[in-house]
C-alpha cells in the first residue's frame, strides 16, 4: 500500500508538471501563429486571446495523452534508477502488479480525454471558425470609429472619420481611399452622414468635398469638387458556414445524409476521436515495460523509444483516418487493428520483463521445437 500510494502521488505530480510544460509550449506556439494571422488581417487582433484559448482547449486531449504516457515513463524510469523497483520485486511482486495501480490512476484521465475528444474538440473548432468567419464577413461600417484609420474586409478601402455622432448618423472630416482595378481614388470632405438604403445597404454621403483620382504624376490625374459624394458600405449578414468534420458533434457524425463521401469523412473523424482515449490506454500499458533501465544503454534510451513509439502510433492513427475518409477501408476494419497491435505489444513486453532470461514464446512450444 505504501508503494501504491507513493506511485499514485508521484504520477499525479509528474503528470501535472509534464502537462503544464506542454501547455506552455502549445500556448507559445499559438501566440506566435495567431498574432501572425492578426498582423496579416486574417483575424481580429481583439479576438486573439479567445482564439488562443479555444485552440488550447481543442488540443487538451492530445496534450493529456502525451502527458500521461511521458509521466508514467518518467516515474518508472526513476524507480528503476533509484533501485525502488528492486524493493518492489524483493517484496514478491512483479511488473504485472504495477498494471492495476497505474490503470487506477490513468482511468479518470482517459475518461477526460474521451470527453475532450468527443465534445470539447468539435466545439472549440466550431467557435474558432465562427469567430474567423464573422471577422471576414464584417461590413465596412462596423469598422468606422472616430479618430482611427480603418481598413475594409477586402483591403480595398480605408476610412478615417475625425468625429462621429452615432445618434444623428453624422460624421465630420471624412477621408475615404478606394483602390479599384489598380486605380487609386481619394475623397475628402468636412461633413457627411450615414445613409440607410433599401435592402439593408448603408452608405456614407460626403458633403462639399474633393475627390482625387489617379496618381499625381500621371497625365490622367484629376481633381473633382462635389456637393454630394456617396460611397457604398457593403452590409452583409454573417453567414454561418457548414460545419467541417472536425467541427461536427457526435450526433452529426452518426447521421447518414446519403452522401457516401461525407459519410466516410464523418466516420473517419469519429474513428480518430474514439481512437484517442484508446491510444492513451495503449501508450500507458507500453510505458510499464518500456521504462526498464539498462545501465549500459543509459537512462534516456527509454525516452527515445517513447518518442518513436508515440510518433508511429499517432501517424498510423492519422493514416487510418485518411484511408477511411477516402473509402479505401471501412471504419469497422480501421478502428481496431492499430490499438489491438499496441495492446499485444504491451502484453509481449510485459511478459518478457516478467522473465527476461527465458523467452516466453519458447515455453509455449513443445520441447522438441523449443530446443531448435
Amino acid at each position: 500500500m505504501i508503494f501504491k500510494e507513493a506511485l499514485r502521488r508521484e504520477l499525479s505530480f509528474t503528470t501535472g508538471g509534464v502537462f503544464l510544460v506542454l501547455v506552455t509550449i502549445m500556448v507559445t506556439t499559438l501566440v506566435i501563429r495567431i498574432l501572425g494571422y492578426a498582423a496579416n488581417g486574417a483575424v481580429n487582433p481583439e479576438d486573439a486571446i479567445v482564439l488562443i484559448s479555444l485552440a488550447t482547449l481543442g488540443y487538451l486531449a492530445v496534450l493529456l495523452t502525451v502527458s500521461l504516457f511521458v509521466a508514467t515513463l518518467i516515474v518508472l524510469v526513476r524507480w528503476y534508477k533509484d533501485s525502488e523497483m528492486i524493493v518492489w520485486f524483493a517484496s514478491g511482486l512483479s511488473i504485472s502488479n504495477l498494471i492495476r495501480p497505474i490503470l487506477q490512476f490513468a482511468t479518470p484521465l482517459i475518461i477526460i480525454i474521451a470527453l475532450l475528444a468527443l465534445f470539447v474538440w468539435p466545439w472549440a473548432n466550431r467557435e474558432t471558425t465562427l469567430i474567423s468567419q464573422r471577422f471576414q464577413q464584417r461590413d465596412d461600417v462596423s469598422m468606422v470609429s472616430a479618430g482611427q484609420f480603418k481598413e475594409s474586409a477586402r483591403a480595398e478601402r480605408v476610412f478615417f472619420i475625425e468625429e462621429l455622432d452615432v445618434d444623428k448618423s453624422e460624421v465630420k472630416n471624412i477621408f475615404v481611399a478606394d483602390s479599384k482595378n489598380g486605380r487609386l481614388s481619394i475623397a475628402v470632405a468636412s461633413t457627411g452622414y450615414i445613409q440607410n438604403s433599401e435592402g439593408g445597404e448603408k452608405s456614407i454621403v460626403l458633403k462639399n468635398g474633393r475627390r482625387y483620382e489617379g496618381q499625381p504624376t500621371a497625365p490622367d490625374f484629376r481633381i473633382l469638387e462635389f456637393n454630394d459624394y456617396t460611397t457604398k458600405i457593403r452590409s452583409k449578414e454573417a453567414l454561418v458556414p457548414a460545419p467541417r468534420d472536425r467541427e461536427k458533434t457526435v450526433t452529426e457524425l452518426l447521421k447518414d445524409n446519403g452522401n457516401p463521401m461525407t459519410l466516410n469523412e464523418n466516420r473517419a473523424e469519429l474513428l480518430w476521436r474514439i481512437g484517442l482515449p484508446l491510444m492513451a490506454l495503449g501508450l500507458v500499458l507500453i510505458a510499464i515495460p518500456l521504462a526498464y533501465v539498462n545501465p549500459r544503454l543509459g537512462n534516456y534510451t527509454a525516452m527515445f523509444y517513447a518518442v518513436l513509439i508515440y510518433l508511429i502510433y499517432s501517424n498510423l492513427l492519422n493514416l487510418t483516418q485518411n484511408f477511411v475518409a477516402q473509402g479505401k477501408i471501412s471504419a469497422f476494419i480501421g478502428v481496431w487493428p492499430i490499438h489491438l497491435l499496441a495492446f499485444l505489444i504491451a502484453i509481449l513486453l510485459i511478459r518478457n520483463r516478467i522473465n527476461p532470461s527465458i523467452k516466453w514464446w519458447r515455453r509455449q512450444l513443445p520441447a522438441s521445437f523449443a530446443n531448435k
Side-chain angles (χ1 to χ4, degrees):
M1 291 299 297
I2 295 176
F3 270 92
K4 290 181 180 179
E5 289 298 328
L7 178 62
R8 294 192 190 98
R9 183 171 60 253
E10 195 163 348
L11 282 174
S12 301
F13 289 143
T14 307
T15 304
V18 174
F19 180 72
L20 287 178
V21 171
L22 293 178
V23 168
T24 303
I25 297 173
M26 173 66 70
V27 171
T28 303
T29 305
L30 291 173
V31 167
I32 297 172
R33 183 191 305 173
I34 293 179
L35 289 182
Y37 291 155
N40 294 330
V43 298
N44 189 352
E46 297 178 358
D47 296 331
I49 296 178
V50 178
L51 293 174
I52 292 170
S53 302
L54 289 173
T56 305
L57 283 175
Y59 285 104
L60 281 182
V62 178
L63 297 181
L64 272 178
T65 301
V66 178
S67 300
L68 186 59
F69 179 42
V70 173
T72 304
L73 200 62
I74 290 176
V75 170
L76 294 182
V77 165
R78 192 196 67 78
W79 277 31
Y80 276 107
K81 180 181 176 182
D82 296 345
S83 301
E84 293 187 24
M85 290 301 297
I86 296 177
V87 179
W88 179 274
F89 296 143
S91 302
L93 301 174
S94 67
I95 193 174
S96 60
N97 296 109
L98 287 171
I99 298 176
R100 183 173 181 179
I102 290 178
L103 288 183
Q104 286 177 347
F105 169 79
T107 299
L109 293 179
I110 293 175
I111 294 174
I112 293 175
I113 291 171
L115 295 176
L116 290 172
L118 291 174
F119 303 105
V120 178
W121 163 259
W123 175 81
N125 290 327
R126 184 62 173 168
E127 290 297 317
T128 300
T129 301
L130 289 177
I131 291 174
S132 300
Q133 290 290 334
R134 192 180 301 121
F135 179 72
Q136 294 294 331
Q137 295 176 353
R138 70 197 186 281
D139 56 11
D140 294 344
V141 75
S142 66
M143 299 178 296
V144 175
S145 58
Q148 295 182 7
F149 284 93
K150 293 292 184 178
E151 190 178 41
S152 65
R154 297 184 180 180
E156 62 183 16
R157 182 178 301 176
V158 177
F159 292 95
F160 176 83
I161 295 176
E162 186 175 358
E163 296 182 18
L164 172 63
D165 190 338
V166 179
D167 296 331
K168 298 180 180 180
S169 297
E170 293 181 354
V171 293
K172 293 183 179 180
N173 296 333
I174 313 108
F175 171 91
V176 181
D178 284 304
S179 178
K180 294 182 179 179
N181 300 323
R183 185 175 179 83
L184 180 64
S185 173
I186 298 175
V188 294
S190 58
T191 59
Y193 60 91
I194 298 177
Q195 183 181 55
N196 295 320
S197 304
E198 295 182 359
E201 292 186 353
K202 294 183 179 181
S203 304
I204 292 183
V205 180
L206 283 67
K207 304 285 293 183
N208 302 323
R210 288 186 177 183
R211 184 180 177 189
Y212 304 89
E213 291 185 355
Q215 299 294 332
T217 57
D220 59 347
F221 177 72
R222 298 190 303 170
I223 300 177
L224 305 174
E225 294 186 355
F226 56 82
N227 293 327
D228 294 322
Y229 175 73
T230 302
T231 176
K232 291 185 179 180
I233 300 176
R234 288 179 297 274
S235 179
K236 47 189 174 183
E237 298 180 357
L239 302 177
V240 179
R244 297 175 296 174
D245 303 327
R246 60 192 304 176
E247 300 167 3
K248 293 181 180 179
T249 63
V250 177
T251 305
E252 292 173 337
L253 292 177
L254 292 175
K255 289 182 180 179
D256 186 359
N257 58 0
N259 189 340
M261 183 177 297
T262 304
L263 182 61
N264 290 333
E265 293 175 351
N266 291 345
R267 288 176 176 176
E269 175 65 21
L270 191 60
L271 181 145
W272 183 84
R273 296 185 195 179
I274 296 174
L276 204 57
L278 293 176
M279 184 174 71
L281 177 60
L283 290 175
V284 168
L285 292 176
I286 292 176
I288 296 174
L290 189 66
Y292 172 75
V293 175
N294 188 336
R296 291 177 296 179
L297 297 178
N299 299 330
Y300 300 99
T301 306
M303 195 60 64
F304 169 77
Y305 287 126
V307 173
L308 186 62
I309 289 172
Y310 174 77
L311 291 177
I312 293 175
Y313 203 153
S314 60
N315 286 330
L316 285 176
L317 185 60
N318 292 330
L319 187 63
T320 304
Q321 180 186 8
N322 292 333
F323 284 163
V324 173
Q326 296 171 8
K328 295 181 179 179
I329 60 175
S330 66
F332 177 77
I333 296 177
V335 73
W336 57 267
I338 299 175
H339 307 294
L340 180 61
L341 178 62
F343 297 149
L344 289 176
I345 291 175
I347 293 173
L348 295 180
L349 292 176
I350 290 173
R351 296 195 64 173
N352 185 61
R353 287 293 171 222
I354 292 175
N355 194 349
S357 60
I358 302 176
K359 299 297 183 181
W360 70 271
W361 54 268
R362 297 188 66 179
R363 290 186 281 107
Q364 309 299 321
L365 298 175
S368 57
F369 291 97
N371 294 327
K372 293 183 180 180

